[in-house]
Amino acid sequence: MKKVLAASTAVAVAGSFVATANAAEYTVKSGDTLWAISQQYGTSVANLKAENGLTSNLILPKQVLKINEKAVKAENHDTTVYHIVAGDTLGKIAAQFNVTVADLKAWNNLSSDLIIAGKTLVVGGQQAAPVKTYQAPVQQAAPVKTYQAPAQQAAPVKTYQAPVQQAAPVKTYQAPAQQAPAYQAPKAATTQTSAASYATNSSVDAHLKLIMQRESGGNPRAVNPAGYYGLFQFSPTTWAAVGGTGNPANASVEEQWKRARILYTQYGAQHWSTAY
């Protein structure tokens, strides 16, 4: 991923400007999953299961779920909150509320420009002032002067060497060397070939192969100092948004392909630096 991610952040469901939290109850429809509902309402599967006493991920149509019940009761009405809708970016929201992107990221503890549909952003109200920190200059320790005494030269030792007697030369016979046929080991598959072998014949994987080559050259352990990792150069925030855990570069090649397919299927190629 590159910085273009900020300008092309995608969202999945509709919403509007709000000053309260999401609805406290949700009626399950056919095809719903806990994960999809958690993404729509800006919560987690664990919270949904805890709030509704669920011991598994199984839900049934017409089942009524409590959504963010604790968040509704704890809503801060001194703060203006915006419900993210499809097509929103931090730049658009900042312009709409006459604030800066930096303000939005600071108020919402965002480490990147990625925003998700169904979640909310603090866009105004009573915000805590940033804490200024002061770091005292580091004092340089004075260099330590050392004295090294001159080395004393030992007196040379006189030795006597007897003349070497020349031994009679020994005649040897060396059989002609037999040329062994050269053996060339088969070339091992490259990391790029191994990574590309996880692609299927689908059009999605065909695009992802191009993205993989452009982003990492097919290296599943690639690390960009700007904060992007693995075959498809995920940022930690985007990796977590599509269900990944830990460092993307430490995940298996199969896992990296799986998360890339989810991201591409939901949002297309716009999350990467170059259109494919």
Side-chain angles (χ1 to χ4, degrees):
M1 300 292 176
K2 302 295 182 287
K3 293 183 179 179
V4 176
L5 182 63
S8 60
T9 302
V11 288
V13 296
S16 60
F17 172 74
V18 295
T20 61
N22 296 328
E25 291 185 346
Y26 177 80
T27 302
V28 178
K29 300 185 296 294
S30 178
D32 277 345
T33 65
L34 285 180
W35 186 86
I37 296 171
S38 70
Q39 294 301 296
Q40 180 177 351
Y41 288 95
T43 183
S44 66
V45 172
N47 285 341
L48 289 176
K49 293 172 69 174
E51 291 171 4
N52 293 275
L54 300 176
T55 58
S56 71
N57 293 339
L58 178 65
I59 54 176
L60 301 174
K62 297 184 179 180
Q63 181 178 353
V64 178
L65 297 177
K66 297 177 182 179
I67 307 293
N68 288 341
E69 189 174 54
K70 295 180 180 178
V72 172
K73 295 178 181 178
E75 182 66 29
N76 179 2
H77 294 288
D78 293 329
T79 299
T80 302
V81 178
Y82 177 76
H83 194 170
I84 302 169
V85 300
D88 276 343
T89 66
L90 286 182
K92 290 181 181 179
I93 297 172
Q96 180 178 349
F97 291 96
N98 197 25
V99 296
T100 66
V101 171
D103 287 337
L104 294 178
K105 294 175 72 172
W107 294 342
N108 293 276
N109 294 323
L110 298 178
S111 58
S112 74
D113 293 336
L114 178 66
I115 54 177
I116 304 297
K119 292 191 176 182
T120 57
L121 284 178
V122 174
V123 294
Q126 297 178 353
Q127 303 296 335
V131 178
K132 296 183 179 180
T133 58
Y134 171 75
Q135 183 174 4
V138 178
Q139 294 183 350
Q140 299 294 328
V144 178
K145 296 182 179 180
T146 59
Y147 171 75
Q148 184 174 5
Q152 295 182 350
Q153 298 293 327
V157 178
K158 295 182 179 180
T159 61
Y160 172 76
Q161 185 174 4
V164 178
Q165 295 181 353
Q166 298 294 326
V170 178
K171 295 182 178 180
T172 60
Y173 171 76
Q174 185 173 5
Q178 294 181 350
Q179 298 294 327
Y183 171 75
Q184 185 172 7
K187 295 183 179 179
T190 63
T191 301
Q192 291 84 347
T193 301
S194 177
S197 67
Y198 283 84
T200 67
N201 293 327
S202 68
S203 60
V204 170
D205 281 14
H207 289 146
L208 287 176
K209 285 175 66 177
L210 296 176
I211 292 172
M212 177 191 71
Q213 292 298 331
R214 181 68 59 86
E215 295 292 327
S216 68
N219 181 3
R221 310 302 172 211
V223 175
N224 187 309
Y228 304 98
Y229 305 90
L231 285 172
F232 300 94
Q233 292 291 277
F234 277 99
S235 70
T237 303
T238 305
W239 178 254
V242 293
T245 59
N247 188 328
N250 293 335
S252 67
V253 173
E254 182 178 8
E255 177 71 8
Q256 293 185 47
W257 269 95
K258 177 181 178 181
R259 300 305 167 192
R261 291 186 183 107
I262 293 174
L263 185 62
Y264 188 95
T265 300
Q266 292 182 351
Y267 308 122
Q270 60 184 330
H271 280 277
W272 285 276
S273 61
T274 305
Y276 296 93

Coordinates of all heavy atoms in Angstrom, one line a residue, residues 100-192:
T100 N -9.3 20.0 9.9 CA -8.2 19.4 9.1 C -8.2 17.9 9.2 O -8.8 17.3 10.2 CB -6.9 19.9 9.5 OG1 -6.6 19.5 10.9 CG2 -6.9 21.5 9.5
V101 N -7.6 17.2 8.3 CA -7.4 15.8 8.3 C -6.6 15.4 9.6 O -6.9 14.4 10.3 CB -6.7 15.2 7.1 CG1 -6.3 13.8 7.2 CG2 -7.6 15.4 5.8
A102 N -5.6 16.2 9.9 CA -4.8 16.0 11.1 C -5.7 16.0 12.4 O -5.5 15.2 13.3 CB -3.7 17.0 11.2
D103 N -6.6 17.0 12.4 CA -7.5 17.0 13.6 C -8.4 15.7 13.7 O -8.5 15.1 14.8 CB -8.5 18.2 13.4 CG -7.8 19.5 13.7 OD1 -6.8 19.5 14.3 OD2 -8.3 20.6 13.2
L104 N -8.9 15.3 12.6 CA -9.8 14.1 12.6 C -8.9 12.9 13.0 O -9.4 12.0 13.8 CB -10.3 13.8 11.2 CG -11.4 14.8 10.6 CD1 -11.8 14.4 9.2 CD2 -12.6 14.9 11.6
K105 N -7.7 12.7 12.6 CA -6.9 11.6 13.0 C -6.5 11.7 14.4 O -6.5 10.6 15.1 CB -5.6 11.5 12.1 CG -5.9 11.2 10.6 CD -4.7 11.3 9.7 CE -3.8 10.1 10.0 NZ -2.7 10.1 9.0
A106 N -6.2 12.9 14.9 CA -5.9 13.0 16.3 C -7.1 12.8 17.2 O -7.0 12.1 18.3 CB -5.3 14.4 16.6
W107 N -8.3 13.3 16.9 CA -9.5 13.1 17.7 C -9.9 11.7 17.8 O -10.6 11.3 18.7 CB -10.6 14.0 17.2 CG -10.3 15.5 17.3 CD1 -9.4 16.1 18.1 CD2 -11.0 16.5 16.5 NE1 -9.4 17.4 17.9 CE2 -10.4 17.8 16.9 CE3 -12.0 16.5 15.6 CZ2 -10.8 19.0 16.4 CZ3 -12.4 17.8 15.1 CH2 -11.8 19.0 15.5
N108 N -9.6 10.9 16.7 CA -10.2 9.5 16.6 C -9.1 8.5 16.7 O -9.3 7.3 16.5 CB -10.9 9.4 15.3 CG -12.1 10.2 15.2 OD1 -13.2 9.8 15.7 ND2 -12.0 11.4 14.6
N109 N -7.8 8.9 17.1 CA -6.7 8.0 17.4 C -6.5 7.1 16.1 O -6.3 5.9 16.2 CB -7.0 7.1 18.6 CG -7.0 7.9 19.9 OD1 -6.3 8.8 20.1 ND2 -7.9 7.5 20.8
L110 N -6.5 7.8 14.9 CA -6.2 7.0 13.7 C -4.8 7.1 13.3 O -4.1 8.1 13.4 CB -7.0 7.7 12.5 CG -8.6 7.6 12.7 CD1 -9.2 8.3 11.5 CD2 -9.1 6.2 12.8
S111 N -4.2 5.9 13.0 CA -2.8 5.9 12.6 C -2.6 5.9 11.1 O -1.5 6.0 10.6 CB -2.1 4.6 13.2 OG -2.8 3.5 12.7
S112 N -3.7 5.8 10.3 CA -3.7 5.9 8.9 C -5.0 6.6 8.4 O -5.8 7.0 9.2 CB -3.6 4.5 8.3 OG -4.8 3.8 8.4
D113 N -5.1 6.7 7.1 CA -6.3 7.4 6.5 C -7.4 6.4 6.2 O -8.4 6.8 5.6 CB -5.8 8.1 5.2 CG -4.9 9.2 5.5 OD1 -4.9 9.8 6.6 OD2 -4.1 9.6 4.5
L114 N -7.3 5.2 6.6 CA -8.4 4.2 6.3 C -9.6 4.4 7.2 O -9.4 4.5 8.4 CB -7.8 2.8 6.5 CG -8.8 1.6 6.3 CD1 -9.2 1.6 4.8 CD2 -8.2 0.3 6.7
I115 N -10.8 4.5 6.6 CA -12.0 4.6 7.4 C -13.0 3.5 6.8 O -12.9 3.2 5.6 CB -12.6 6.0 7.3 CG1 -12.8 6.5 5.9 CG2 -11.8 7.0 8.1 CD1 -13.5 7.8 5.7
I116 N -13.9 3.0 7.7 CA -14.7 1.9 7.3 C -16.2 2.3 7.4 O -16.6 3.0 8.4 CB -14.5 0.7 8.3 CG1 -13.0 0.3 8.2 CG2 -15.4 -0.5 7.9 CD1 -12.5 -0.2 6.9
A117 N -17.0 1.9 6.5 CA -18.4 2.3 6.5 C -19.1 1.7 7.7 O -18.8 0.6 8.2 CB -19.1 1.7 5.3
G118 N -20.1 2.4 8.3 CA -20.9 2.0 9.4 C -20.2 2.4 10.7 O -20.9 2.5 11.7
K119 N -19.0 2.9 10.7 CA -18.3 3.4 11.9 C -18.6 4.9 12.0 O -19.1 5.5 11.1 CB -16.9 3.0 11.9 CG -16.6 1.6 12.1 CD -15.1 1.3 12.4 CE -14.9 -0.2 12.6 NZ -13.5 -0.5 12.9
T120 N -18.2 5.5 13.2 CA -18.4 6.9 13.4 C -17.1 7.6 13.6 O -16.2 7.0 14.1 CB -19.4 7.1 14.6 OG1 -18.8 6.5 15.7 CG2 -20.8 6.6 14.3
L121 N -17.1 8.9 13.3 CA -15.9 9.7 13.5 C -16.3 10.9 14.4 O -17.4 11.5 14.2 CB -15.4 10.3 12.2 CG -14.6 9.3 11.3 CD1 -14.2 10.0 10.0 CD2 -13.3 8.8 12.0
V122 N -15.5 11.3 15.3 CA -15.6 12.6 16.1 C -15.2 13.7 15.1 O -14.0 13.7 14.7 CB -14.8 12.6 17.4 CG1 -14.9 13.9 18.0 CG2 -15.3 11.5 18.3
V123 N -16.0 14.6 14.9 CA -15.7 15.7 13.9 C -15.7 17.1 14.6 O -15.5 18.1 13.9 CB -16.6 15.7 12.7 CG1 -16.4 14.4 11.9 CG2 -18.1 15.8 13.1
G124 N -16.1 17.2 15.9 CA -16.1 18.5 16.6 C -16.6 18.3 18.0 O -16.9 17.2 18.4
G125 N -16.6 19.4 18.7 CA -17.0 19.3 20.1 C -15.9 19.6 21.1 O -14.9 20.2 20.7
Q126 N -16.0 19.1 22.3 CA -15.0 19.3 23.3 C -14.0 18.3 23.2 O -14.2 17.1 23.4 CB -15.7 19.2 24.7 CG -16.7 20.3 25.0 CD -17.3 20.2 26.3 OE1 -17.1 19.2 27.0 NE2 -18.1 21.1 26.7
Q127 N -12.8 18.7 22.7 CA -11.7 17.8 22.5 C -10.6 18.1 23.5 O -10.3 19.2 23.9 CB -11.1 17.9 21.1 CG -12.1 17.7 20.0 CD -12.7 16.3 20.0 OE1 -12.0 15.4 20.5 NE2 -13.9 16.1 19.5
A128 N -9.9 17.1 24.0 CA -8.8 17.3 24.9 C -7.6 17.9 24.2 O -7.3 17.5 23.1 CB -8.4 15.9 25.5
A129 N -7.0 18.9 24.8 CA -5.9 19.6 24.2 C -4.7 18.6 24.2 O -4.5 17.8 25.1 CB -5.5 20.8 25.1
P130 N -3.9 18.6 23.1 CA -2.8 17.7 23.0 C -1.7 18.0 24.1 O -1.6 19.2 24.4 CB -2.3 18.0 21.6 CG -2.7 19.3 21.2 CD -4.1 19.5 21.9
V131 N -1.1 17.0 24.5 CA -0.1 17.2 25.6 C 1.3 17.5 24.9 O 1.7 16.7 24.1 CB 0.0 15.9 26.5 CG1 1.1 16.1 27.5 CG2 -1.3 15.7 27.1
K132 N 1.9 18.6 25.3 CA 3.2 18.9 24.8 C 4.3 18.3 25.7 O 4.2 18.4 26.9 CB 3.4 20.4 24.7 CG 2.5 21.1 23.7 CD 2.7 22.6 23.6 CE 1.8 23.3 22.6 NZ 2.1 24.7 22.5
T133 N 5.2 17.6 25.1 CA 6.3 17.0 25.8 C 7.6 17.7 25.5 O 7.8 18.2 24.4 CB 6.4 15.5 25.5 OG1 6.7 15.4 24.1 CG2 5.1 14.8 25.8
Y134 N 8.5 17.7 26.5 CA 9.8 18.4 26.4 C 10.8 17.3 26.7 O 10.8 16.6 27.7 CB 9.9 19.6 27.3 CG 11.4 20.1 27.4 CD1 11.8 20.9 26.3 CD2 12.2 19.8 28.4 CE1 13.1 21.4 26.3 CE2 13.5 20.3 28.5 CZ 14.0 21.1 27.4 OH 15.2 21.6 27.5
Q135 N 11.8 17.2 25.8 CA 12.9 16.3 26.0 C 14.2 17.1 26.2 O 14.6 17.9 25.3 CB 13.0 15.4 24.8 CG 14.1 14.3 25.0 CD 14.0 13.3 23.9 OE1 13.3 13.4 23.0 NE2 14.9 12.3 24.0
A136 N 14.8 16.9 27.4 CA 16.0 17.6 27.6 C 17.1 17.2 26.7 O 17.1 16.0 26.3 CB 16.4 17.4 29.1
P137 N 18.0 18.1 26.3 CA 19.1 17.7 25.4 C 20.0 16.7 26.1 O 20.2 16.7 27.3 CB 19.8 19.0 25.1 CG 19.4 19.9 26.2 CD 18.1 19.5 26.6
V138 N 20.5 15.7 25.4 CA 21.4 14.7 25.9 C 22.8 15.3 26.2 O 23.3 16.0 25.3 CB 21.5 13.5 25.0 CG1 22.5 12.5 25.5 CG2 20.1 12.9 24.8
Q139 N 23.3 15.2 27.4 CA 24.6 15.7 27.7 C 25.6 14.7 27.2 O 25.6 13.5 27.5 CB 24.7 16.0 29.2 CG 23.8 17.1 29.7 CD 24.0 17.3 31.2 OE1 24.7 16.6 31.9 NE2 23.4 18.4 31.7
Q140 N 26.6 15.2 26.5 CA 27.7 14.4 26.0 C 28.7 14.2 27.1 O 29.2 15.2 27.7 CB 28.3 15.0 24.8 CG 27.4 15.2 23.6 CD 26.9 13.9 23.1 OE1 27.7 12.9 23.1 NE2 25.7 13.8 22.6
A141 N 29.1 13.0 27.3 CA 30.1 12.7 28.3 C 31.4 13.2 27.8 O 31.7 13.1 26.6 CB 30.1 11.2 28.6
A142 N 32.3 13.7 28.7 CA 33.6 14.2 28.3 C 34.4 13.0 27.9 O 34.4 12.0 28.5 CB 34.3 14.9 29.5
P143 N 35.2 13.2 26.8 CA 36.1 12.0 26.4 C 37.1 11.7 27.5 O 37.6 12.6 28.1 CB 36.7 12.6 25.1 CG 36.6 14.0 25.2 CD 35.4 14.4 26.0
V144 N 37.4 10.4 27.6 CA 38.3 9.9 28.6 C 39.7 9.8 27.9 O 39.8 9.2 26.9 CB 37.9 8.6 29.2 CG1 39.0 8.1 30.2 CG2 36.6 8.7 29.8
K145 N 40.7 10.5 28.5 CA 42.0 10.5 28.0 C 42.8 9.3 28.6 O 42.7 9.1 29.8 CB 42.8 11.8 28.2 CG 42.2 13.0 27.6 CD 43.0 14.2 27.9 CE 42.4 15.5 27.2 NZ 43.2 16.7 27.5
T146 N 43.4 8.5 27.7 CA 44.2 7.4 28.2 C 45.6 7.5 27.8 O 46.0 8.2 26.8 CB 43.6 6.1 27.6 OG1 43.7 6.2 26.2 CG2 42.2 5.9 28.0
Y147 N 46.5 6.9 28.7 CA 47.9 7.0 28.4 C 48.4 5.6 28.2 O 48.1 4.7 28.9 CB 48.7 7.6 29.5 CG 50.2 7.5 29.4 CD1 50.9 8.3 28.5 CD2 50.9 6.6 30.1 CE1 52.3 8.2 28.4 CE2 52.3 6.4 30.0 CZ 52.9 7.3 29.1 OH 54.3 7.2 29.0
Q148 N 49.1 5.4 27.1 CA 49.7 4.1 26.8 C 51.2 4.2 26.8 O 51.8 4.9 26.1 CB 49.2 3.6 25.4 CG 49.7 2.2 25.1 CD 49.0 1.7 23.8 OE1 48.3 2.5 23.2 NE2 49.3 0.4 23.4
A149 N 51.8 3.4 27.7 CA 53.3 3.4 27.8 C 53.9 2.8 26.6 O 53.3 1.9 26.0 CB 53.7 2.6 29.1
P150 N 55.0 3.3 26.2 CA 55.7 2.7 25.0 C 56.1 1.3 25.2 O 56.5 0.9 26.3 CB 56.9 3.7 24.7 CG 57.1 4.3 26.1 CD 55.8 4.4 26.7
A151 N 55.9 0.5 24.2 CA 56.3 -1.0 24.3 C 57.8 -1.1 24.3 O 58.5 -0.5 23.6 CB 55.6 -1.8 23.2
Q152 N 58.2 -2.0 25.3 CA 59.7 -2.2 25.3 C 60.0 -3.3 24.3 O 59.4 -4.4 24.3 CB 60.1 -2.6 26.7 CG 59.9 -1.5 27.7 CD 60.4 -1.9 29.1 OE1 60.7 -3.1 29.4 NE2 60.5 -0.9 30.0
Q153 N 61.0 -3.1 23.5 CA 61.5 -4.1 22.6 C 62.4 -5.1 23.2 O 63.3 -4.8 23.9 CB 62.2 -3.4 21.4 CG 61.4 -2.4 20.6 CD 60.3 -3.1 19.9 OE1 60.4 -4.2 19.4 NE2 59.2 -2.4 19.7
A154 N 62.0 -6.4 23.1 CA 62.8 -7.5 23.7 C 64.1 -7.6 22.8 O 64.1 -7.4 21.6 CB 62.0 -8.8 23.7
A155 N 65.2 -8.0 23.5 CA 66.4 -8.2 22.8 C 66.3 -9.3 21.9 O 65.7 -10.3 22.2 CB 67.5 -8.4 23.9
P156 N 66.8 -9.2 20.7 CA 66.7 -10.3 19.7 C 67.5 -11.5 20.2 O 68.6 -11.4 20.8 CB 67.3 -9.7 18.5 CG 68.3 -8.6 18.9 CD 67.6 -8.1 20.2
V157 N 66.9 -12.7 20.0 CA 67.5 -14.0 20.4 C 68.3 -14.5 19.2 O 67.7 -14.7 18.1 CB 66.5 -15.0 20.9 CG1 67.1 -16.3 21.3 CG2 65.7 -14.4 22.1
K158 N 69.5 -14.8 19.4 CA 70.3 -15.4 18.4 C 70.1 -16.9 18.3 O 70.2 -17.6 19.4 CB 71.8 -15.1 18.6 CG 72.1 -13.6 18.4 CD 73.6 -13.3 18.6 CE 74.0 -11.9 18.5 NZ 75.4 -11.6 18.6
T159 N 69.9 -17.4 17.2 CA 69.7 -18.9 17.0 C 70.6 -19.4 16.0 O 71.1 -18.7 15.1 CB 68.2 -19.2 16.6 OG1 67.9 -18.6 15.4 CG2 67.2 -18.7 17.7
Y160 N 70.9 -20.7 16.1 CA 71.7 -21.4 15.1 C 70.9 -22.4 14.4 O 70.2 -23.2 15.0 CB 72.9 -22.1 15.8 CG 73.7 -22.9 14.9 CD1 74.6 -22.4 13.9 CD2 73.5 -24.3 14.9 CE1 75.3 -23.1 13.0 CE2 74.2 -25.1 14.0 CZ 75.1 -24.5 13.1 OH 75.8 -25.3 12.2
Q161 N 71.0 -22.4 13.1 CA 70.2 -23.3 12.3 C 71.2 -24.1 11.5 O 72.0 -23.6 10.7 CB 69.3 -22.5 11.3 CG 68.4 -23.5 10.5 CD 67.4 -22.7 9.7 OE1 67.4 -21.4 9.7 NE2 66.5 -23.4 9.0
A162 N 71.1 -25.4 11.7 CA 72.0 -26.4 11.0 C 71.6 -26.4 9.5 O 70.4 -26.2 9.2 CB 71.9 -27.8 11.5
P163 N 72.5 -26.6 8.6 CA 72.2 -26.6 7.2 C 71.3 -27.8 6.9 O 71.4 -28.9 7.5 CB 73.6 -26.8 6.5 CG 74.5 -27.4 7.6 CD 74.0 -26.8 8.9
V164 N 70.4 -27.6 6.1 CA 69.4 -28.6 5.7 C 70.0 -29.5 4.7 O 70.6 -29.1 3.7 CB 68.1 -27.9 5.1 CG1 67.1 -29.0 4.7 CG2 67.5 -27.0 6.1
Q165 N 69.9 -30.8 5.0 CA 70.3 -31.8 4.0 C 69.2 -32.1 3.0 O 68.1 -32.3 3.3 CB 70.7 -33.1 4.7 CG 71.9 -33.0 5.7 CD 72.2 -34.3 6.4 OE1 71.5 -35.3 6.2 NE2 73.4 -34.3 7.1
Q166 N 69.7 -32.0 1.7 CA 68.7 -32.2 0.7 C 68.5 -33.7 0.5 O 69.4 -34.5 0.3 CB 69.3 -31.6 -0.6 CG 69.5 -30.1 -0.6 CD 68.1 -29.4 -0.5 OE1 67.1 -29.8 -1.0 NE2 68.2 -28.3 0.3
A167 N 67.2 -34.1 0.6 CA 66.8 -35.5 0.4 C 66.8 -35.8 -1.1 O 66.5 -34.9 -1.9 CB 65.5 -35.8 1.1
A168 N 67.1 -37.0 -1.4 CA 67.0 -37.4 -2.8 C 65.6 -37.3 -3.3 O 64.6 -37.6 -2.6 CB 67.5 -38.9 -3.0
P169 N 65.4 -36.8 -4.5 CA 64.1 -36.6 -5.0 C 63.4 -37.9 -5.2 O 64.0 -38.9 -5.7 CB 64.3 -35.8 -6.3 CG 65.7 -36.2 -6.7 CD 66.5 -36.3 -5.5
V170 N 62.1 -38.0 -4.8 CA 61.3 -39.2 -5.0 C 60.5 -39.1 -6.3 O 59.8 -38.1 -6.5 CB 60.4 -39.3 -3.8 CG1 59.5 -40.6 -4.0 CG2 61.2 -39.4 -2.5
K171 N 60.6 -40.1 -7.1 CA 59.9 -40.1 -8.3 C 58.5 -40.6 -8.1 O 58.3 -41.7 -7.4 CB 60.6 -40.9 -9.4 CG 61.9 -40.4 -9.8 CD 62.6 -41.2 -10.9 CE 63.9 -40.6 -11.4 NZ 64.5 -41.4 -12.4
T172 N 57.5 -39.9 -8.5 CA 56.1 -40.4 -8.3 C 55.4 -40.5 -9.6 O 55.8 -39.8 -10.6 CB 55.4 -39.4 -7.4 OG1 55.4 -38.1 -8.1 CG2 56.0 -39.2 -6.0
Y173 N 54.4 -41.3 -9.6 CA 53.7 -41.5 -10.9 C 52.2 -41.1 -10.6 O 51.6 -41.5 -9.6 CB 53.7 -43.0 -11.3 CG 52.7 -43.3 -12.5 CD1 53.0 -42.9 -13.8 CD2 51.5 -43.9 -12.2 CE1 52.1 -43.1 -14.8 CE2 50.6 -44.1 -13.3 CZ 50.9 -43.7 -14.6 OH 50.0 -43.9 -15.6
Q174 N 51.7 -40.2 -11.4 CA 50.4 -39.7 -11.3 C 49.5 -40.2 -12.5 O 49.8 -39.8 -13.6 CB 50.4 -38.2 -11.2 CG 49.0 -37.6 -10.9 CD 49.1 -36.1 -10.6 OE1 50.1 -35.5 -10.7 NE2 47.9 -35.5 -10.3
A175 N 48.5 -41.0 -12.1 CA 47.7 -41.4 -13.2 C 46.9 -40.3 -13.8 O 46.6 -39.3 -13.1 CB 46.7 -42.5 -12.7
P176 N 46.6 -40.3 -15.1 CA 45.8 -39.2 -15.6 C 44.4 -39.1 -15.0 O 43.8 -40.1 -14.7 CB 45.8 -39.6 -17.1 CG 46.0 -41.1 -17.2 CD 46.9 -41.4 -16.0
A177 N 44.0 -37.9 -14.7 CA 42.7 -37.7 -14.1 C 41.6 -38.0 -15.1 O 41.7 -37.7 -16.2 CB 42.6 -36.3 -13.6
Q178 N 40.6 -38.8 -14.6 CA 39.4 -39.1 -15.4 C 38.4 -38.0 -15.2 O 38.1 -37.6 -14.1 CB 38.8 -40.4 -15.0 CG 39.8 -41.6 -15.3 CD 39.1 -42.9 -14.9 OE1 38.1 -42.9 -14.2 NE2 39.7 -44.0 -15.3
Q179 N 38.0 -37.5 -16.3 CA 37.0 -36.4 -16.2 C 35.6 -37.0 -15.9 O 35.1 -37.8 -16.7 CB 36.9 -35.6 -17.6 CG 38.2 -35.0 -17.9 CD 38.5 -33.8 -17.0 OE1 37.6 -33.2 -16.4 NE2 39.8 -33.6 -16.7
A180 N 35.1 -36.6 -14.7 CA 33.7 -37.0 -14.4 C 32.7 -36.1 -15.1 O 32.9 -34.9 -15.3 CB 33.5 -36.9 -12.9
P181 N 31.6 -36.7 -15.5 CA 30.6 -35.9 -16.2 C 30.0 -34.8 -15.3 O 29.8 -35.1 -14.1 CB 29.5 -36.9 -16.6 CG 29.7 -38.1 -15.6 CD 31.2 -38.1 -15.4
A182 N 29.9 -33.6 -15.8 CA 29.4 -32.5 -14.9 C 28.0 -32.7 -14.6 O 27.2 -33.2 -15.4 CB 29.6 -31.2 -15.7
Y183 N 27.7 -32.4 -13.3 CA 26.3 -32.5 -12.9 C 25.8 -31.1 -12.5 O 26.4 -30.4 -11.8 CB 26.2 -33.5 -11.7 CG 24.8 -33.4 -11.0 CD1 23.7 -34.1 -11.6 CD2 24.5 -32.7 -9.9 CE1 22.4 -34.1 -11.1 CE2 23.3 -32.7 -9.3 CZ 22.2 -33.4 -9.9 OH 21.0 -33.3 -9.3
Q184 N 24.6 -30.8 -13.0 CA 24.0 -29.5 -12.7 C 22.7 -29.7 -12.0 O 21.8 -30.4 -12.5 CB 23.8 -28.7 -14.0 CG 23.3 -27.3 -13.7 CD 23.2 -26.5 -15.0 OE1 23.5 -27.0 -16.1 NE2 23.0 -25.2 -14.9
A185 N 22.6 -29.2 -10.7 CA 21.4 -29.4 -9.9 C 20.3 -28.6 -10.5 O 20.5 -27.5 -11.1 CB 21.7 -28.9 -8.5
P186 N 19.1 -29.1 -10.5 CA 17.9 -28.3 -11.0 C 17.7 -27.1 -10.2 O 18.0 -27.0 -9.0 CB 16.7 -29.3 -10.8 CG 17.2 -30.2 -9.7 CD 18.7 -30.4 -9.8
K187 N 17.3 -26.1 -10.9 CA 17.1 -24.8 -10.3 C 15.9 -24.8 -9.4 O 14.9 -25.3 -9.7 CB 16.9 -23.7 -11.3 CG 18.1 -23.4 -12.2 CD 17.9 -22.3 -13.2 CE 19.1 -22.0 -14.0 NZ 18.9 -20.9 -15.0
A188 N 16.1 -24.2 -8.1 CA 15.0 -24.2 -7.2 C 14.0 -23.1 -7.6 O 14.3 -22.1 -8.2 CB 15.5 -23.9 -5.8
A189 N 12.7 -23.3 -7.3 CA 11.7 -22.3 -7.6 C 11.9 -21.1 -6.8 O 12.3 -21.1 -5.7 CB 10.3 -22.9 -7.3
T190 N 11.8 -20.0 -7.5 CA 12.0 -18.7 -6.8 C 10.8 -18.4 -5.9 O 9.7 -19.0 -6.0 CB 12.1 -17.5 -7.8 OG1 10.9 -17.5 -8.6 CG2 13.2 -17.8 -8.8
T191 N 11.1 -17.5 -5.0 CA 10.0 -17.0 -4.1 C 8.8 -16.5 -4.8 O 7.7 -16.7 -4.5 CB 10.5 -16.0 -3.1 OG1 11.6 -16.5 -2.4 CG2 9.4 -15.6 -2.1
Q192 N 9.2 -15.7 -5.9 CA 8.1 -15.1 -6.7 C 7.2 -16.2 -7.4 O 6.0 -16.1 -7.4 CB 8.7 -14.2 -7.8 CG 9.3 -12.9 -7.3 CD 10.8 -13.1 -6.8 OE1 11.2 -14.3 -6.7 NE2 11.5 -12.1 -6.6

